[in-house]
Amino acid sequence: MEGVDHLAHERNKTEFDVDAMKIVWAGSRHAFEVSDRMARLVASDPAFQKDNRTRLGRKELFKNTLRKAAHAWKRILDLRLTEEEAGRLRTFVDEPAFTDLHWGMFVPAIKGQGTDEQQQKWLPLAYKMQIIGCYAQTELGHGSNVQGLETTATFDPETDEFVIHSPTLTSCKWWPGGLGKISTHAVVYARLLTNGQEHGVHGFIVQLRSMDDHMPLPGITIGDIGMKFGNGAYNTMDNGVLKFDHVRIPRNQMLMRVLQVTREGKCVQSNVPRQLIYGTMVFVRQSIVADASVALSRAVCIATRYSAVRRQFGSQDGGVETQVIDYKTQQNRLFPLLASAYAFRFVGEWLKWLYTDVTQRLQANDFSTLPEAHACTAGLKSLTTTATADAIEECRKLCGGHGYLCASGLPELFAVYVPACTYEGDNIVLLLQVARFLVKTVSQLGSGKKPVGTTAYLGRVQDLLQCRCDVQTAEDWLKPSVVLEAFEARSARMCVARAQNLSKFENPEDGFAELSADLVEAAVAHCQLIVVSKFIDKLQQDIPGNGVKQQLQNLCYIYALNLLHNYLGDFLSTGCITPKQASLANDQLRSLYSQIRPNAIALVDAFNYTDHYLGSVLGRYDGNVYPKLYEEAWKDPLNDSVVPDGYHEYVRPMLKQQLRNARL
Amino acid sequence: MEGVDHLAHERNKTEFDVDAMKIVWAGSRHAFEVSDRMARLVASDPAFQKDNRTRLGRKELFKNTLRKAAHAWKRILDLRLTEEEAGRLRTFVDEPAFTDLHWGMFVPAIKGQGTDEQQQKWLPLAYKMQIIGCYAQTELGHGSNVQGLETTATFDPETDEFVIHSPTLTSCKWWPGGLGKISTHAVVYARLLTNGQEHGVHGFIVQLRSMDDHMPLPGITIGDIGMKFGNGAYNTMDNGVLKFDHVRIPRNQMLMRVLQVTREGKCVQSNVPRQLIYGTMVFVRQSIVADASVALSRAVCIATRYSAVRRQFGSQDGGVETQVIDYKTQQNRLFPLLASAYAFRFVGEWLKWLYTDVTQRLQANDFSTLPEAHACTAGLKSLTTTATADAIEECRKLCGGHGYLCASGLPELFAVYVPACTYEGDNIVLLLQVARFLVKTVSQLGSGKKPVGTTAYLGRVQDLLQCRCDVQTAEDWLKPSVVLEAFEARSARMCVARAQNLSKFENPEDGFAELSADLVEAAVAHCQLIVVSKFIDKLQQDIPGNGVKQQLQNLCYIYALNLLHNYLGDFLSTGCITPKQASLANDQLRSLYSQIRPNAIALVDAFNYTDHYLGSVLGRYDGNVYPKLYEEAWKDPLNDSVVPDGYHEYVRPMLKQQLRNARL
Ligand SMILES: Cc1cc2nc3c(=O)[nH]c(=O)nc-3n(C[C@H](O)[C@H](O)[C@H](O)COP(=O)(O)OP(=O)(O)OC[C@H]3O[C@@H](n4cnc5c(N)ncnc54)[C@H](O)[C@@H]3O)c2cc1C
Ligand SMILES: Cc1cc2nc3c(=O)[nH]c(=O)nc-3n(C[C@H](O)[C@H](O)[C@H](O)COP(=O)(O)OP(=O)(O)OC[C@H]3O[C@@H](n4cnc5c(N)ncnc54)[C@H](O)[C@@H]3O)c2cc1C
Ligand SMILES: [Ca+2]
């Protein structure tokens, strides 16, 4: 049966050009080709095999990751891959590793916060991996509150050095990836002290380990912080703990692009604007949003294919049973997630544009859009990662019992994904920032300050407070303007109402604290509007390919109308729509499910994931699930012997009523 | 610092009698004492240590579980524990094991489906563990649809035997716990064939392994199905695969309480009512609801204590920071889960009563309440397990980064818990059953058939369609009758509206299929009403202990008003309450959070969990989190050596630019 496509009957139903959709998903033909080439490169190389991951103990698992990282680097060098290609290759290797932090945090920190001189010294070493770096910010006692970090960097004018020190247990660095076992260097964030004065938290390049024998340098204690969620998952990463006992580094290892410490220990602000760091944040978060669409689409691809393979109930007289994807409850859980994958993809694409825009403005000393861009990326990071984490688990449940097997790929996908809700800003803390920005924006509306970018709609707040939704039939919900207005009105009304409630408090900070849960809801409404509106914008573009736009339109409406259903309380309590209109939206949603149904498999094929990358027996391209599940089972170490280890010591004495004498 | 209670300042704030609350939580003084004694017995016995679990490979992990199971059995025998005590002891050992299925499924199946003769033969063997049994129903191809099972049991009149056979790959048994490596026997569900005729699916006692050397008997292939979600979690269990090649068993090993096969191969219905099986289902599901409250309360206990320990932001001038439990967003996420733990506890208690009631009625040949009891337990199983799975993950997120460490206990608690959403009935399939029952109940209202039990309120449907909520102040939401009416009206109106939509279809089955997602929502509304109403009922009882009832009242309103907020769309679209009333409910909720806040730690102390059972550094009773996290980290195998395995082969060549020559 090898080679048979068990999903061919599904693929034959497709009503659009899948190859064209692949380009849309990838963003461009070039992006598609690079991804496709790198994915195949990884998939065809036995050195990157990953299906044994959950069966390895921690040490083996980790060693295996070191091997893959070295192999990947070797391939990158041998094939002279571009930066873009190298990045894609690492993505498809699909295993958290110290290299992620080296390329993703250490190098960007030096680029963003180092002086030209520092960049010239350190970047070439990092680019060649002659040093390996990590990003050591979080401590045992402080993560979200970066200003509360306790590590100190005290300038010693006598030796022209900084003394890096961990004064308390809670000041130990805790979590940095790559720190525990591998990094030779770190950017360490510490409280700058000079001449007995505090100058806030800054980054310092600190060598951690000897380049000769890899042993921690004097005064430095480092270790791994132990097992994390899941089996393989993030346990391939050496998240570490780090304690400094008065470790000395030269003065020129403080990252001084913004603030410089002179030979005398004076602090001098450079002429580089502090706001630059926001640029970096926008960059990091846009890539997290892009990653969300990838993780979500992987889960959806697995659940969709398996839902077409799995049959349960509904057979008349022993005939063939119903594919579970044909149950409306299954569709109602699955299709909005499929739509979300596309929605997040497009909003991620737009964020990439936003980052370019912000960068250009920064270079022109235009900071006017920064607060809005910052709030927007914070909010979208929170929204997309929370939704994706929940969605992966829902996809697992959509696969019934078999979803619980590691062979389904979903448990590990979940375990490896969920920290995205916490790192780079706890999702609730981020929403509170968005809420703060919205409240401020609303409060300034009267003053004539025009809201920009994603908050521009708030400039039409008077209209939005009064407008009425004129949906009268289910089809009326298929108008972009109708959907957009409903989402704008809901968000605007929530923001205004919350701001009014706040104004009842004498002390605005007390009010903000007391009403923070409500405020977070307004922030969510605002962020959902952004996603919906960017999806609608996308549809205004010219999109080539037979039937492609039609599918995307259906997905866009599924995304929006499903949100409308799930957050109906918001829409009704603000009077944006009526219960009757809500019920029409629901009718329309069901009809959209039927339209998407024959295209579901093709819509996940368009992600162009290899079976290697998916890592799921349930999500196999060919749908040949059962024989492969069966084969896979036998690989478990427990099946090495028919009679298990421990039978003679523990089970037999039980069965033979001889426990009393057994040594347990 | 050992012995210092870092949460003493919290415990000093308590406004109620914690010891009295412990009794309320346990259900009775007796239940409390048994639990307390068994928990301490396990916690103080080094043989039951479990904190190394996530660091073990599969084989070690499994062997370790065999050892604990044997040790537990030995303690049970040595101490002559009662059945109740033994059950509690196994709970506190807190590790899925083959014994769970032996006691929880194999023995009950024989009791429920075996004839007296069969019980006399098999139960004594099982009670002494001279045989170990499992429950082999699910197959690779069929789980939810039990009637679709493919394994055959063909009667051979020549030898007076059944021939058990797996005719296809998908007919392999797949999932049964205890099957893979340990069980000597199984109750196997198979399609009965005699005289060329099919007679549905029935249970058969089949010996799987030799009592001499534990090898599978001829014609039987068995193995473990491989790694499952999480690290320790369910990987201590040998969920198995089983294939039969014409295996013969004596005729008297078919479980024949309800249907008998004679020597000639004729099927004869016994006079025992088929409905008996529903009694067993009610029993199993009530215990799943009870387990939900346990799992949820463990997670809530960890998140609550850590939220009181963790401080982040809010310090003025370097002073002490705010405990994160004082942030309203944290409260808004956490306290409804605390309330849910109590809510599920009480509805579980009530289900225990329901089971007794059903059993008595069955004995008196009164089947009138069975369908309602069956729907009610199906719905509550679905509601409580879904909510608990989500809540455990939310509790993990409430702990920020540290929640992602296995040392927090939460990842493993999640991974081990989630299959409860799938086994004993997929939660969506169960809700569809509830929906079907509700539609039927509504359709019979006109005919004068009086709805019973938890559907009795539908008998007042005319009132409920018309009633108006008369809340005018936030305090009005603290009346039981007001809350109850709102939930009854919402559920009744949703059921009636859905039933009316159904009646528009010519073929009711088509309508049911098309509208099934909406119908599931009505089922959820109905089930939430049951939980709210049983909590309110509980408060009508006499509850001793200073301040205890006050706390429970607060929790009850938090549970109900939070649901009202989260499902606002339902309440508003059915016109049960107005937006203004919803906003008052929200105000009341915030005020309730403030009232619960000083009692939060005591309310989780009332669960009376030992640190052993909690298995969480973050949830430690004494709040001494940071030093213990630090200690725990060093136990990871990766910390066995300072320079990790693989450094010389893979990392050093990278750093030294010598990869080209390296063997990878
Ligand atoms: C897998 C992983 C990898 C990581 N990698 C790195 C790394 O490479 N380098 C590094 O430096 N760090 C790293 N981290 C750390 C990470 O950045 C932090 O965990 C993250 O910033 C969250 O901070 P926290 O853990 O202190 O959460 P906390 O702030 O302690 O959050 C606990 C709870 O308090 C709430 N809370 C906190 N403040 C407020 C407030 N003001 N208002 C309301 N609620 C509040 C939160 O919402 C949350 O519910 C990593 C973490 C993980 C899990
Ligand atoms: C940890 C664990 C332990 C287990 N232990 C045992 C054991 O000891 N013995 C044993 O016999 N079995 C056991 N099982 C198997 C378990 O009982 C089944 O997995 C469960 O019944 C779900 O069935 P399924 O896997 O076939 O799901 P499926 O029915 O395949 O579900 C897949 C999807 O289809 C949907 N679906 C199915 N039917 C319908 C429908 N009619 N309408 C709408 N949607 C539908 C579901 O909602 C789900 O989303 C265990 C499973 C697990 C995970
Ligand atoms: Ca492991």
Side-chain angles (χ1 to χ4, degrees), chain B residues 341-516:
Chain B
Y342 278 90
F344 295 173
R345 191 73 184 177
F346 298 139
V347 82
E349 204 169 70
W350 171 77
L351 277 177
K352 239 181 243 165
W353 168 86
L354 184 75
Y355 173 64
T356 328
D357 183 64
V358 162
T359 313
Q360 283 168 359
R361 285 173 193 265
L362 279 175
Q363 276 155 5
N365 267 319
D366 167 6
F367 305 126
S368 62
T369 63
L370 254 191
E372 185 269 325
H374 181 248
C376 161
T377 47
L380 290 174
K381 183 273 179 184
S382 174
L383 180 140
T384 57
T385 56
T386 297
T388 296
D390 292 349
I392 296 170
E393 173 61 4
E394 184 68 8
C395 285
R396 196 190 61 69
K397 290 198 182 117
L398 283 161
C399 296
H402 301 345
Y404 191 62
L405 285 170
C406 287
S408 80
L410 292 163
E412 289 297 299
L413 190 56
F414 183 78
V416 85
Y417 188 74
V418 285
C421 299
T422 306
Y423 58 54
E424 286 305 318
D426 169 274
N427 279 354
I428 297 299
V429 174
L430 290 179
L431 288 176
L432 287 166
Q433 292 174 10
V434 177
R436 216 171 261 283
F437 176 72
L438 289 172
V439 167
K440 193 169 163 195
T441 304
V442 168
S443 75
Q444 293 177 337
L445 284 178
S447 76
K449 191 161 183 230
K450 238 182 117 181
V452 295
T454 56
T455 53
Y457 71 103
L458 290 173
R460 291 180 279 112
V461 70
Q462 290 312 330
D463 291 351
L464 290 173
L465 290 180
Q466 282 154 19
C467 66
R468 294 168 122 261
C469 172
D470 37 57
V471 164
Q472 289 183 323
T473 68
E475 287 69 42
D476 287 344
W477 275 116
L478 299 183
K479 295 178 191 154
S481 60
V482 168
V483 170
L484 206 56
E485 189 186 74
F487 275 84
E488 285 180 347
R490 164 210 184 202
S491 177
R493 292 177 194 193
M494 285 175 76
C495 290
V496 168
R498 264 62 168 178
Q500 278 169 351
N501 286 343
L502 267 185
S503 65
K504 293 174 199 154
F505 286 78
E506 233 168 80
N507 176 338
E509 279 310 306
D510 291 351
F512 195 90
E514 178 68 18
L515 301 179
S516 55

Side-chain angles (χ1 to χ4, degrees), chain A residues 306 310 312-313 324 327 329-330 333 397-402 404, chain B residues 101 105 135-138 141-145 174-177 228 234 239 419 422-426 428-429 432:
Chain A
Y306 181 63
R310 185 70 171 173
Q312 205 78 187
F313 292 106
V324 298
Y327 292 115
T329 47
Q330 192 86 351
R333 293 156 72 200
K397 290 198 182 119
L398 282 161
C399 297
H402 300 345
Y404 190 63
Chain B
L101 286 300
M105 299 293 288
Y135 185 87
Q137 179 175 301
T138 307
H142 288 92
S144 298
N145 182 14
W174 188 272
W175 272 118
K228 289 146 288 185
Y234 241 94
N239 296 92
T422 306
Y423 58 54
E424 286 305 318
D426 169 274
I428 297 299
V429 174
L432 287 166

Side-chain angles (χ1 to χ4, degrees), chain A residues 630 633-636 638-644, chain B residues 132 134 136 166 172-186 188 206-210 214-226 238-245 247:
Chain A
Y630 189 83
W634 297 101
K635 298 181 188 161
D636 194 274
L638 266 194
N639 290 326
D640 289 352
S641 63
V642 177
V643 175
Chain B
I132 297 172
C134 66
S166 312
C172 287
K173 294 295 172 187
W174 188 272
W175 272 118
L179 166 65
K181 292 287 146 183
I182 301 300
S183 296
T184 59
H185 289 68
V188 171
V206 183
Q207 181 175 346
L208 303 174
R209 291 180 166 94
S210 152
H214 206 64
M215 291 297 284
L217 296 182
I220 290 181
T221 309
I222 326 185
D224 182 274
I225 59 172
D238 55 333
N239 296 92
V241 46
L242 164 62
K243 197 169 171 173
F244 293 105
D245 182 7
V247 172

Side-chain angles (χ1 to χ4, degrees), chain A residues 211-262:
Chain A
M211 300 307 294
D212 292 332
D213 60 7
H214 207 64
M215 292 297 283
L217 296 181
I220 291 181
T221 309
I222 326 186
D224 183 273
I225 59 172
M227 291 296 289
K228 289 145 289 184
F229 204 155
N231 219 300
Y234 242 96
N235 294 305
T236 56
M237 181 73 90
D238 53 334
N239 296 93
V241 46
L242 165 61
K243 197 170 172 172
F244 294 105
D245 183 4
H246 299 94
V247 171
R248 293 182 164 262
I249 60 168
R251 178 167 54 93
N252 67 10
Q253 284 179 214
M254 170 173 154
L255 293 171
M256 298 215 204
R257 185 156 181 209
V258 172
L259 185 86
Q260 309 192 336
V261 174
T262 66

Side-chain angles (χ1 to χ4, degrees), chain B residues 38 140 183 221 246 275 322 430 441 590 608 613 619 636:
Chain B
M38 290 302 118
L140 200 41
S183 296
T221 309
H246 300 94
Q275 284 94 333
T322 306
L430 290 179
T441 304
R590 275 204 312 280
N608 199 44
Y613 186 54
D636 194 275

Side-chain angles (χ1 to χ4, degrees), chain A residues 289-585:
Chain A
V289 172
D291 292 347
S293 72
V294 173
L296 176 49
S297 55
R298 284 171 75 175
V300 165
C301 180
I302 296 168
T304 304
R305 286 185 183 156
Y306 181 63
S307 292
V309 169
R310 185 70 171 173
R311 294 173 180 272
Q312 205 78 187
F313 292 106
S315 95
Q316 253 70 42
D317 321 312
V320 63
E321 289 167 284
T322 306
Q323 292 166 283
V324 298
I325 199 175
D326 283 324
Y327 292 115
K328 280 280 163 194
T329 47
Q330 192 86 351
Q331 296 179 1
N332 187 50
R333 293 156 72 200
L334 180 59
F335 291 167
L337 305 183
L338 174 61
S340 303
Y342 278 91
F344 295 173
R345 190 74 184 176
F346 298 140
V347 82
E349 204 168 70
W350 171 76
L351 276 177
K352 239 181 244 165
W353 168 85
L354 184 73
Y355 172 65
T356 326
D357 183 62
V358 162
T359 311
Q360 285 170 355
R361 285 173 193 265
L362 279 175
Q363 277 158 2
N365 266 317
D366 167 6
F367 305 127
S368 62
T369 62
L370 254 190
E372 186 269 324
H374 181 248
C376 159
T377 47
L380 291 174
K381 182 271 178 185
S382 175
L383 180 141
T384 55
T385 55
T386 297
T388 297
D390 291 350
I392 297 170
E393 172 61 6
E394 184 69 9
C395 284
R396 196 191 60 71
K397 290 198 182 119
L398 282 161
C399 297
H402 300 345
Y404 190 63
L405 285 170
C406 287
S408 80
L410 292 163
E412 290 296 300
L413 190 57
F414 182 77
V416 84
Y417 188 75
V418 285
C421 299
T422 306
Y423 59 51
E424 285 304 317
D426 169 274
N427 278 354
I428 297 300
V429 174
L430 291 178
L431 288 177
L432 287 166
Q433 292 174 9
V434 178
R436 216 171 261 284
F437 176 73
L438 289 172
V439 166
K440 194 169 162 197
T441 305
V442 168
S443 74
Q444 295 178 336
L445 285 178
S447 76
K449 195 166 178 225
K450 238 182 119 182
V452 296
T454 55
T455 52
Y457 70 104
L458 290 174
R460 293 180 278 111
V461 70
Q462 289 312 329
D463 291 352
L464 291 172
L465 290 179
Q466 281 155 21
C467 67
R468 294 168 123 260
C469 172
D470 39 302
V471 163
Q472 289 182 324
T473 67
E475 288 70 41
D476 289 341
W477 276 115
L478 300 183
K479 295 177 192 154
S481 59
V482 167
V483 169
L484 205 55
E485 189 186 74
F487 274 83
E488 286 180 346
R490 165 210 183 202
S491 176
R493 293 178 194 193
M494 286 175 77
C495 289
V496 168
R498 264 61 167 179
Q500 279 170 352
N501 286 342
L502 268 185
S503 65
K504 292 176 199 153
F505 285 78
E506 234 168 78
N507 177 338
E509 279 310 306
D510 290 352
F512 194 89
E514 178 68 19
L515 301 180
S516 56
D518 288 356
L519 288 160
V520 159
E521 291 181 343
V524 168
H526 171 70
C527 296
Q528 289 176 346
L529 162 63
I530 301 177
V531 182
V532 168
S533 73
K534 297 306 161 194
F535 205 152
I536 289 178
D537 284 355
K538 177 82 190 177
L539 296 175
Q540 308 312 308
Q541 297 172 18
D542 188 39
I543 301 177
N546 207 350
V548 168
K549 193 179 248 186
Q550 181 58 49
Q551 294 305 318
L552 294 177
Q553 265 162 0
N554 289 346
L555 289 169
C556 178
Y557 289 113
I558 287 178
Y559 181 72
L561 297 182
N562 179 258
L563 278 184
L564 189 136
H565 183 74
N566 288 344
Y567 291 80
L568 190 55
D570 287 356
F571 287 90
L572 291 178
S573 64
T574 50
C576 293
I577 65 167
T578 65
K580 172 75 195 156
Q581 290 168 330
S583 154
L584 292 172

